[in-house]
Amino acid sequence: MKKYEVLYCPIGVPTFHLESAEKMFNDSVELLKSINKDVIVPDNMLLSMEDLKSFIKDKNPDLVIIQNVTFANSSYSTEIYKTFDSQFILWTLREPVIDGGRLRLNSLTGAFSAGNAFYQMKDNNLLYMFGSPNEAEIQNRLSKIIKAAQVKHEMKGMNLLMIGHTPQGFGFGRALDLDMAKSFGVNLLAIESRELTNIAKSLKEEEASEAKQIADSKMVDLNKTNKRNRVDFYKLYQVYKDYIQKNNIKAIASRCWPDFFTDYGTPVCGVLGMLNDEKIAAACEADAYGALTMHIGNQFTEESGYFGDPVSLDENENTITFWHCGTSACSLARKDTGALTGVHPNRKIGPTMEFGLKPSKNATIFRIGRKPDGTFRFLLIKGEILDKPKQFFGTSMVVRVEQEVKPLITKLVKDGWEPHYVVLYGDAIEEIEILAEMLNIEVCKY
């Protein structure tokens, strides 16, 4: 896959106040390089069509930043739009001085020319920002845009693996390869779960030594698991790891019940938890869109997200409890318990993860939802993960939300949202909103 590239195009004409424009140009380059050292920038401002054409020739960017260092008519931006099929940001600079004298830059009028040309020529969304490079708001937004564009770019080369099919009644997580490719650029791969369990059955115990070493170092009380189940877990974890590495998989949606209990004899829960700990987004019940939700969230927070069901609410604390059987990343465990290991709450077979999750002042509840017409929407809710012990057998967290919780739950149910959610450690709402705009996906903030 080609390297992610950002291209900076500072366009203008030489008839404005070039000293002011030069300062804005230098400050902009410094800011861009501080965010991404590999940003492609010209040596000088592009103050003629010849300069512009020479600079953009033979470039292949994923993100193009068009900045009016001064006014430029639409022929400049038109040339850029004709040349690239990329994501575009239009950046307008604030007038440096308003003193009743000369108009120094006239960047805003240039933005209207560029915006009009984009509207006439392109079908995707144009991102826009107004302000100077020394403004904190611009620095923050530009950083998030560059990161979101990188996530979008990397999804084009991403493999998401479905292991088995969704159980009956869980079709909300079932994905089509063309839908994944069209809306997100993701390659959807598929394999039957028995293909991996059969390999695991044939594996010798010593062939899973790598998996054993990793799991033993992270999972507390794993040694208390029934030996046969513990060994079968090591082997299954090794098989999943090897397949993921061999096929360059970034996220998986794995079938779990009933096959792994009835056919293999050992749950896959612990395996998925360990993969989540390695930042391979791993969703259970074969929820492909849940796995993609996790992956996207992980890219923005750089920490594993939690995949769970909303199972309880408390009006007095204004909280929602999220729970699942035991697939959380070990790194999310509360410090007072660590990543305890247990057995599945219904099947009484282990190993599964068995702990409450650590607190966080900032959290984001996120879900990629599929609408009846086949298009997608993003759910976003801001919250706080409270310092609470395990609520039920399995793994759980308690999230306080800003809205009144009971009407919120009522609205989510009536709005038809899926029963699986991802809770991210950190506030990633703005980054996900930017990505949604780039992908032309509806955002539903609650």
Side-chain angles (χ1 to χ4, degrees), residues 190-244:
I191 187 173
E192 294 296 334
S193 59
R194 66 177 177 272
E195 295 184 55
L196 297 182
T197 55
N198 285 342
I199 296 172
K201 288 176 182 179
S202 67
L203 211 65
K204 295 178 181 178
E205 184 176 347
E206 56 268 24
E207 293 178 293
S209 59
E210 179 192 3
K212 179 182 186 303
Q213 182 179 5
I214 297 171
D216 286 350
S217 69
K218 294 182 177 182
M219 296 173 68
V220 178
D221 290 344
L222 179 57
N223 62 316
K224 296 179 182 180
T225 302
N226 175 282
K227 183 178 180 181
R228 177 184 166 238
N229 293 124
R230 188 170 71 250
V231 171
D232 286 347
F233 157 71
Y234 293 144
K235 293 195 291 184
L236 188 63
Y237 177 28
Q238 189 69 57
V239 169
Y240 268 58
K241 278 178 62 67
D242 291 346
Y243 193 90
I244 286 166

Side-chain angles (χ1 to χ4, degrees), residues 110-128:
F112 274 92
S113 293
N116 177 258
F118 186 92
Y119 181 77
Q120 300 295 335
M121 294 179 65
K122 294 287 187 178
D123 295 326
N124 57 326
N125 287 327
L126 174 67
L127 298 178
Y128 180 74

Side-chain angles (χ1 to χ4, degrees), residues 179-180 182-184 289 369-377:
D179 285 349
M180 276 285 192
K182 178 181 178 181
S183 298
F184 303 101
Y289 296 121
R370 193 172 186 272
K371 296 190 285 186
D373 65 0
T375 59
F376 295 93
R377 57 181 179 169

Side-chain angles (χ1 to χ4, degrees), residues 44-59:
N44 300 291
M45 297 179 289
L46 307 174
L47 302 181
S48 70
M49 285 296 295
E50 290 72 20
D51 289 344
L52 174 62
K53 289 179 180 179
S54 176
F55 174 63
I56 65 176
K57 182 182 178 182
D58 299 327
K59 302 292 193 305

Side-chain angles (χ1 to χ4, degrees), residues 390-405:
K390 183 183 69 176
Q391 303 291 291
F392 307 100
F393 290 142
T395 57
S396 62
M397 63 161 56
V398 179
V399 182
R400 177 181 288 141
V401 293
E402 295 179 341
Q403 309 88 331
E404 192 176 345
V405 68

Side-chain angles (χ1 to χ4, degrees), residues 365-417:
I365 303 169
F366 177 34
R367 171 74 204 190
I368 298 173
R370 193 172 186 272
K371 296 190 285 186
D373 65 0
T375 59
F376 295 93
R377 57 181 179 169
F378 284 179
L379 173 141
L380 289 170
I381 303 171
K382 189 174 183 180
E384 175 189 358
I385 303 168
L386 301 187
D387 188 3
K388 294 279 189 178
K390 183 183 69 176
Q391 303 291 291
F392 307 100
F393 290 142
T395 57
S396 62
M397 63 161 56
V398 179
V399 182
R400 177 181 288 141
V401 293
E402 295 179 341
Q403 309 88 331
E404 192 176 345
V405 68
K406 195 169 182 179
L408 171 63
I409 291 293
T410 300
K411 185 160 180 57
L412 293 178
V413 171
K414 293 180 72 172
D415 286 352
W417 286 97

